[in-house]
Amino acid sequence: MREDFFVVSAPQLGVNDQTATLLDWYVPDGSSVSVGQPICTMETSKAIFDVEAEVAGFMVHLVSAGNEIAVSQPIALIGS
């Protein structure tokens, strides 16, 4: 049986942003999410913003809250 996953990556808001900090998860690991639901909050050098789920499914965290990560780095998976 094949399971498909959607990769949630840290977005790049500013042209000069190379890193972001994952401040908090709104959705616990293993919980279900809906399209458009805020899943976490992140911070760059100039902004604090929410990341929303682009697909529905179940969350798998790849990064813990409080960690600084590179933009475009995967932070979670959403699977069916």
Side-chain angles (χ1 to χ4, degrees):
M1 183 170 129
R2 183 172 174 241
E3 182 130 11
D4 293 318
F5 289 97
F6 177 82
V7 178
V8 181
S9 298
Q12 182 169 13
L13 293 183
V15 176
N16 295 324
D17 290 330
Q18 299 300 312
T19 62
T21 301
L22 196 153
L23 298 178
D24 194 20
W25 286 106
Y26 296 139
V27 179
D29 197 33
S31 295
S32 64
V33 294
S34 302
V35 174
Q37 179 180 350
I39 57 173
C40 69
T41 185
M42 299 191 74
E43 180 178 30
T44 63
S45 60
K46 296 184 179 186
I48 295 176
F49 58 95
D50 289 340
V51 175
E52 296 180 353
E54 294 183 38
V55 297
F58 293 90
M59 290 285 302
V60 177
H61 296 177
L62 300 176
V63 176
S64 299
N67 284 338
E68 184 176 71
I69 53 174
V71 292
S72 301
Q73 176 182 332
I75 59 171
L77 301 173
I78 300 176
S80 54

